[in-house]
Amino acid sequence: MNYPVWEPPMLGGGLVIGIIAILHVFVSHFAVGGGLFLPITERKAYREKNAALLDYVKSHSKFFVLVVLVFGAVSGVGIWWSIGLVNPEATATLIHVFVWGWAIEWVFFIVEIAAAFIYYYGWDRLDPKTHLMVGWIYFASAWLSLFVINGILAFMLTPGRWIESPSFWTAFFNPSMLPSCVVRTAVSVALAGVYGLVTASTLRDIALRTEVVRYAAKWVLVGTLIIPLAGVWYISTLPPMAREISMGAAPAVTIFAGLSIFFSALVVTFTYFGPYQHPRYFNLTFAFVIAVLALSTTGVTEWVREAVRKPYIIYNYMYANTLRVADLSRVRQQGVLESARFVRHHQVDPLKPLESGREVFRVQCASCHTVDGYNSIRFAVKGWSSDMIEYQLLHLNELKGFMPPFVGTDAERQALRDWLLSLNPQPAPREPGSPGVQAETPAASPGASKP
């Protein structure tokens, strides 16, 4: 509550982060898996003395550099921009807890960028042995970058012993760090194959296309074989409430978890019966279908990973609205408006209670809800009475375990209640005889005589 609240219209801050992050994850994991695909395939071409395959690796490396170093880098900046605006309190916490981790990751990132450029521009300039070494240096730095960032992301869901014993090491080596790293590495391998299918499908040499298509399909199948095995390990490390949210406690999250499995199964099925079994007939359209399915899998899986963390942004430490668990008692007594720095009213204004209620909404609810757009609060409370809203606010975290408790004074809760009630005003009853209202006709008695 030490920073201003940013409210993107209609989309909401969470959806802005989600859109950028999903696209970035889809590319950044290719940056790791593709970094393994290139030197292994180059080595295969040298070993088999296959000049045509080596030419393919050269063309694929150009595609790789453009996607990873242009879109990947820009979307990475976009993530920092969006999380810094939407949830600066949590971002600051991650920076302070992992300051040396971020510094190390930036070293790996710089080496990764330099190696990628040297690898691409080193074709026909470096001898094969040196060129391969540059490729391996790129992959090592890219995977180490993933290793560091994975530990930080895993910490947000499973901080583990850090809550009781705060240190860099207890934060980084948290319960889900290793299984999550295995899952992400397997995803990287699978996506290397998916992107490989896209470039291989454009080859004109039928024999070469057939060979590379089947080869890329093997990468997809190997990666997707590891993912569910590591996924079971990962799920076993999650907090009980997080598992329950994905398994029925929150129906929307359960549906998305099911979609993750469904899309993954489609990727495996399409890859096995398409490019793996019939590589000769594979084409660019089919490649894009598999790529879209893989992107859909990434999207719904990342959405579920974020959703099961609710009501926290850092589990058991900070709620999604940036309120620290340790500050609950203080804010309840002091008031949420008094505790927030960037609000117009630090007390409920009895002359403008609805404005005060809107301020309470911004501080406590706007991190997840918009007024009229994504996850609309107007729609959520439609048809609710004043008593219903009051009851929900009093028992918010008990009725909906994925939402933070309401924290504030009685006056702030009542101001929020009144503002929520005002979002869906009830139409005033119209008097009989007014335009559009028909006068009520007395019903005839059963024994009345007919004319």
Side-chain angles (χ1 to χ4, degrees):
M1 297 184 176
N2 295 319
Y3 298 90
V5 177
W6 185 51
E7 291 184 276
M10 301 305 292
L11 293 178
L15 191 57
V16 169
I17 294 176
I19 293 171
I20 297 172
I22 287 167
L23 294 173
H24 178 73
V25 166
F26 192 64
V27 172
S28 64
H29 284 67
F30 169 55
V32 179
L36 181 63
F37 183 90
L38 285 169
I40 286 181
T41 311
E42 181 185 358
R43 183 170 174 270
K44 173 181 168 66
Y46 288 138
R47 188 176 63 250
E48 298 174 358
K49 298 181 181 179
N50 189 336
L53 180 59
L54 192 62
D55 287 339
Y56 163 75
V57 179
K58 290 179 183 178
S59 63
H60 185 72
S61 68
K62 181 178 182 179
F63 170 79
F64 175 82
V65 166
L66 289 174
V67 171
V68 170
L69 300 190
V70 179
F71 184 83
V74 171
S75 59
V77 173
I79 288 180
W80 277 103
W81 169 79
S82 59
I83 65 173
L85 286 173
V86 175
N87 212 319
E89 192 82 46
T91 305
T93 299
L94 294 179
I95 291 173
H96 288 119
V97 173
F98 294 103
V99 61
W100 292 112
W102 291 116
I104 293 169
E105 193 276 330
W106 271 96
V107 172
F108 292 145
F109 180 70
I110 292 170
V111 173
E112 179 184 346
I113 296 297
F117 279 120
I118 294 171
Y119 184 84
Y120 174 68
Y121 288 105
W123 288 108
D124 304 322
R125 291 182 174 89
L126 301 174
D127 62 87
K129 184 178 179 180
T130 304
H131 192 260
L132 269 174
M133 182 61 68
V134 172
W136 286 114
I137 289 172
Y138 171 86
F139 169 68
S141 58
W143 186 85
L144 288 169
S145 180
L146 177 147
F147 179 78
V148 173
I149 293 176
N150 168 76
I152 296 171
L153 294 177
F155 160 81
M156 297 177 71
L157 180 54
T158 57
R161 293 187 300 111
W162 178 83
I163 300 293
E164 295 81 25
S165 178
S167 74
F168 173 85
W169 301 111
T170 56
F172 187 79
F173 290 101
N174 57 80
S176 69
M177 189 276 286
L178 283 178
S180 177
C181 186
V182 175
V183 170
R184 290 183 181 278
T185 302
V187 169
S188 299
V189 171
L191 286 180
V194 170
Y195 281 88
L197 288 173
V198 172
T199 55
S201 66
T202 63
L203 295 172
R204 295 184 178 181
D205 185 326
I206 296 176
L208 179 63
R209 184 173 71 237
T210 300
E211 177 189 357
V212 178
V213 163
R214 175 169 282 171
Y215 173 73
K218 290 178 181 178
W219 282 71
V220 179
L221 296 175
V222 169
T224 52
L225 177 65
I226 300 171
I227 291 170
L229 301 176
V232 172
W233 180 21
Y234 173 72
I235 292 171
S236 71
T237 65
L238 300 184
M241 184 60 188
R243 286 198 299 271
E244 290 173 11
I245 286 176
S246 66
M247 296 179 181
V253 182
T254 305
I255 291 172
F256 271 72
L259 285 174
S260 175
I261 298 172
F262 175 69
F263 286 135
S264 299
L266 286 181
V267 170
V268 174
T269 302
F270 279 38
T271 301
Y272 181 78
F273 290 105
Y276 182 73
Q277 291 282 17
H278 306 285
R280 185 180 179 87
Y281 305 104
F282 191 70
N283 54 43
L284 185 59
T285 302
F286 202 159
F288 274 122
V289 169
I290 293 176
V292 169
L293 288 173
L295 177 59
S296 301
T297 305
T298 302
V300 295
T301 304
E302 285 296 306
W303 191 88
V304 170
R305 186 181 64 81
E306 290 291 320
V308 298
R309 199 170 58 217
K310 299 294 178 66
Y312 303 100
I313 188 71
I314 300 175
Y315 215 86
N316 287 332
Y317 174 76
M318 182 183 291
Y319 286 108
N321 56 14
T322 74
L323 177 66
R324 287 180 172 85
V325 174
D327 295 335
L328 280 179
S329 299
R330 177 182 61 80
V331 176
R332 277 198 179 104
Q333 294 178 357
Q334 183 174 314
V336 66
L337 294 179
E338 181 66 28
S339 303
R341 292 188 179 183
F342 292 90
V343 291
R344 293 184 179 88
H345 308 282
H346 286 286
Q347 300 288 339
V348 174
D349 187 344
L351 300 178
K352 300 177 180 178
L354 296 184
E355 286 188 19
S356 300
R358 178 70 172 89
E359 290 275 36
V360 175
F361 170 81
R362 289 180 68 248
V363 176
Q364 291 233 39
C365 315
S367 58
C368 297
H369 291 279
T370 65
V371 177
D372 289 303
Y374 174 73
N375 208 12
S376 164
I377 196 66
R378 188 190 302 274
F379 179 78
V381 301
K382 189 174 183 179
W384 288 13
S385 65
S386 177
D387 290 342
M388 176 67 168
I389 296 175
E390 177 79 6
Y391 186 82
Q392 289 280 335
L393 293 176
L394 283 170
H395 306 281
L396 194 57
N397 58 314
E398 298 168 7
L399 296 169
K400 301 175 181 179
F402 50 85
M403 293 184 68
F406 175 83
V407 181
T409 63
D410 291 343
E412 289 170 339
R413 187 183 68 254
Q414 291 161 8
L416 176 59
R417 177 202 63 195
D418 293 342
W419 180 76
L420 291 173
L421 191 63
S422 73
L423 295 178
N424 297 290
Q426 298 296 320
R430 291 190 289 182
E431 297 293 331
S434 63
V437 178
Q438 294 182 350
E440 192 174 312
T441 303
S445 63
S449 60
K450 295 180 182 180

